[in-house]
Structure formats: structure tokens, C-alpha cells
């Protein structure tokens, strides 16, 4: 640690400077150079430690549910709709993650999203470096999360940029210029994902017993100011995958995340002390609930602790859209939820901008960062 700050409370943290503490090495380059041994900076586990904590492959009935939006929309009948809504509500309470099918986003568009996103990583390094990111906004091409010097690193490179709110972003300045269709494809996909999330937020509001369906959306800034970021995670083949992680354990800081995966699985979630791999389903999008929804719901909904693994045979790509509050919005437990449940507020209030500085300085820390918001009574 570079400061005497508590790693968990982050008290006294300043926004990070413009530079990463060490020179960035891109994982893709390392992988392509044919390294046979994992460089020490990426070693997370000792040999034989089997990814540190037990991993349990669960049968389908013990996995987070698959939510059919066709049923949710009432197209199969009212009984089916009711059953599906119950399943969704309990997924938010028990898992903090579910998959959605019949989500209304055409498979051809999803294929295009994957294609244009993947093509960025095929550009010559010289071209990619024009987009190199920094710890202030994270926008652009990079490969670390958190700015502490000497941290062990994750086996991935990524590309990140905002897609919303338009009032807060630099237009599409930091978006890749190649391939040519990138902007149209990603704008269209982004809007469709936001639409899906707004529909889900309205269902969540009802499920939490809130009087107005738009309460959660409004608490995050409303349709105009709701934020969204776009991140492509690229996990090259890893020479010793059992010693590394693609992404260290974390909860997502925003409100919710929609993850689009390619054919290669790697996402795992932690439940009851074990890691459970989530199979990659090509017809499904994975929805992860994140910190701000746990906070707004005063802990009724769970922000899911997750990580991703890597493998030696196949590279993997995942695409995350992070839905988050407008940066200056103060977020704390909703009064209506607190009153209804009879429990006092469990989390302190903070704007998303303040919370973001925390996370960007500290990196991925399992549930510790969210726990730092819990009010000790
Ligand atoms: C993320 C994330 C998981 C994955 O981008 O925050 O958790 O499987 N991704 O890539
Ligand atoms: Ni995540």
C-alpha cells in the first residue's frame, strides 16, 4: 500500500493520478509471445491449491434460474407470468444473478456485437495503444483494475468506454474507430440493453413492494441520466490457468450488469462458501445484480460475488454493460423499503462518483468494498 489508508474504508483516498504505478504489460502480447510459465505477477494461487477455494459444478436445478421474458411479458398466460416473477424475485434475493432468454435482442445483433468487439483486439498494438487508458476514467484499452503498486494482476486485457448518460460523456470520442460498424452496432446494442434493464428495474420495484414502478429507475437518475459503461474483457490462452484468474473476485459497483458471453465458459459465482461455474448459454444474457441495488433494497437483493477463470486451450471474450447511477446521485437504502421491512438502514449513503474512486483505487476485493458501506450498529 502506498498510503497509510485502511484498504477497506479507503478513508483519505485521493483520486488516482493520470498514470498507472507500473508499466502496463498487455496479456495478449505475453500470451502471443508463447510464454510457457505464468509470470510471477499473475500468480494468484500456489500449485495444487486448486483455485484457492472449492469449486463445485452444480446440476442445472442448483444453478441460478433462467428467466423467460416471454413468460414475464404475459405471453404464455397469467399463471406462467406469476410463477416466473416469483422465480425472478427469489433469484434477486438468493443469488443476485440470473440468466434471461427471449430478451428481445436479435441473435444476429449479438453476433455482430461480439464480432466488432473482438476485432479491436486484432488491431496492431500501435493502433490499440492510441486508446491506452489511465486510472482516472478507465476509458480505453487497459488491463488492470486498481492502482496499488505491486498488486498481483489478472489475466485479461479490456476495452472500456461509457455509453450513457450522454450528458456526462465525451460523445463517442474514446470509442474505437475500427471496425467501421463499431459505433452503430454498439450504440444499438447499448440502447437495447438499457431498455431491458429499465424493464427489469420496474419489475424489481414491484417485487420489492414499492408503490411506484419507476422508483428504482428514478433513484438511479431516471431514463435521461441513467449511466452505462461498456467493457470487453479479453482473456487470452493462459499457460498455467490453475494458478491465475481472469478477473479476481468482486462485486460490480453499479446497479446491475448484463453480460454477454462467447462459447467459452469462465464466469463463477460464490455462494455458501463455494465457487459455482455458470455455463455459457448462447441464447441467454446473464444479469448480475450489483452494489447499488443491494444498497437501495437495504440488503434484500444481493450483489453477487463473482470472478472469472481462464484456460490454456481457448481464449475467451465476455462483454459487460454496467448500468450505474448518475454520478452525483446520493444512493442509500430507500426509505420506503426501510419502513416496510421494519429494519433500520444497513448501508451508509454515498454518491456513485465517490464510491467509484474507492473501487478504482483499491481494485477488486471480493465483497470487502461493499461491506465497508455497512453501518455498524
Ligand atoms: C466484469 C465481470 C465476468 C466475465 O466484467 O465485471 O465480472 O466472465 N466479467 O468476464
Ligand atoms: Ni464483474
Amino acid at each position: 500500500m502506498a498510503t497509510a489508508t485502511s484498504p477497506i474504508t479507503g478513508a483519505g483516498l485521493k483520486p488516482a493520478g493520470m498514470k498507472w504505478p507500473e508499466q502496463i504489460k498487455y496479456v495478449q502480447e505475453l500470451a502471443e509471445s508463447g510464454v510457457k510459465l505464468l509470470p510471477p505477477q499473475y500468480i494468484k494461487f500456489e500449485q495444487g491449491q486448486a483455485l484457492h477455494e472449492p469449486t463445485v459444478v452444480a446440476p442445472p436445478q442448483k444453478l441460478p434460474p433462467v428467466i423467460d421474458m416471454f413468460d414475464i411479458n404475459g405471453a404464455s398466460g397469467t399463471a406462467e407470468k406469476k410463477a416466473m416473477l416469483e422465480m425472478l424475485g427469489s433469484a434477486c434475493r438468493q443469488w443476485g444473478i440470473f440468466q434471461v432468454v427471449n430478451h428481445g435482442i436479435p441473435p444476429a445483433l449479438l453476433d455482430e456485437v461480439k464480432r466488432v468487439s473482438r476485432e479491436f483486439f486484432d488491431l496492431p498494438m500501435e493502433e490499440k495503444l492510441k486508446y491506452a487508458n489511465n486510472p482516472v476514467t478507465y476509458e480505453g484499452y487497459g488491463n488492470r483494475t486498481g492502482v496499488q503498486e505491486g498488486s498481483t494482476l489478472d489475466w485479461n486485457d479490456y476495452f472500456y468506454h461509457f455509453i450513457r448518460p450522454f450528458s456526462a460523456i465525451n460523445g463517442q470520442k474514446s470509442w474505437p474507430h475500427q471496425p467501421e460498424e463499431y459505433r452503430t452496432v454498439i450504440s444499438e446494442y447499448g440502447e437495447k440493453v438499457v431498455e431491458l434493464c429499465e424493464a427489469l428495474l420496474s419489475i424489481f420495484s414491484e417485487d420489492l413492494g414499492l408503490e411506484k414502478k419507476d422508483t428504482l429507475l428514478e433513484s438511479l437518475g431516471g431514463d435521461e441520466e441513467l449511466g452505462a459503461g461498456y467493457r470487453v474483457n479479453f482473456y487470452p490462452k493462459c499457460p498455467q490457468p490453475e494458478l491465475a484468474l481472469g478477473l479476481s473476485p468482486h462485486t460490480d459497483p453499479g446497479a446491475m450488469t448484463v453480460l454477454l458471453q462467447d462459447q467459452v465458459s469462465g464466469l463463477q459465482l460464490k455462494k455458501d462458501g463455494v465457487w459455482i461455474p455458470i455455463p455459457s448459454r448462447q441464447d441467454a444474457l446473464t444479469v448480475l445484480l450489483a452494489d447499488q441495488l443491494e444498497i437501495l433494497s437495504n440488503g434484500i437483493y444481493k450483489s453477487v460475488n463473482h470472478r472469472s477463470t481462464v484456460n490454456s486451450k481457448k481464449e475467451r471474450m465476455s462483454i459487460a454493460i454496467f448500468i450505474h447511477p448518475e454520478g452525483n446521485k446520493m444512493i442509500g437504502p430507500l426509505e420506503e423499503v426501510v419502513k416496510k421491512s421494519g429494519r433500520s438502514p444497513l448501508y451508509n449513503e454515498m454518491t456513485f462518483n465517490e464510491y467509484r474512486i474507492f473501487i478504482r483505487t483499491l481494485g477488486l476485493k471480493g465483497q470487502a468494498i461493499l461491506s465497508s458501506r455497512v453501518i455498524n450498529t
Side-chain angles (χ1 to χ4, degrees), residues 85-214:
L85 284 172
E86 265 167 33
M87 209 194 252
L88 180 57
S90 96
C92 295
R93 287 168 171 75
Q94 289 167 23
W95 290 95
I97 186 171
F98 53 89
Q99 293 188 298
V100 276
V101 293
N102 291 321
H103 41 63
I105 307 182
L109 177 60
L110 298 182
D111 287 345
E112 274 297 277
V113 169
K114 288 186 223 172
R115 182 182 69 81
V116 298
S117 301
R118 177 66 185 81
E119 279 182 24
F120 175 81
F121 294 91
D122 287 335
L123 296 173
M125 185 50 101
E126 197 187 307
E127 184 60 29
K128 287 186 285 198
L129 284 178
K130 291 183 187 161
Y131 301 87
N133 71 1
N134 65 59
V136 180
T137 68
Y138 271 62
E139 281 186 283
Y141 176 49
N143 77 351
R144 55 184 296 159
T145 320
V147 288
Q148 288 169 24
E149 197 175 341
S151 324
T152 43
L153 301 177
D154 291 335
W155 192 260
N156 83 74
D157 293 334
Y158 64 81
F159 195 95
Y160 176 74
H161 59 71
F162 289 105
I163 47 182
R164 258 173 158 261
F166 296 108
S167 61
I169 60 173
N170 222 347
Q172 293 183 345
K173 236 173 148 180
S174 50
W175 293 35
H177 289 83
Q178 294 180 50
E180 218 177 290
E181 317 79 65
Y182 185 92
R183 284 152 197 254
T184 39
V185 171
I186 303 308
S187 306
E188 185 184 351
Y189 176 57
E191 280 312 303
K192 286 199 157 40
V193 168
V194 169
E195 230 173 84
L196 172 67
C197 290
E198 289 189 355
L200 288 170
L201 285 170
S202 144
I203 295 168
F204 296 164
S205 297
E206 278 200 304
D207 176 66
L208 288 168
L210 301 171
E211 211 162 293
K212 292 201 206 120
K213 281 196 210 175
D214 63 357

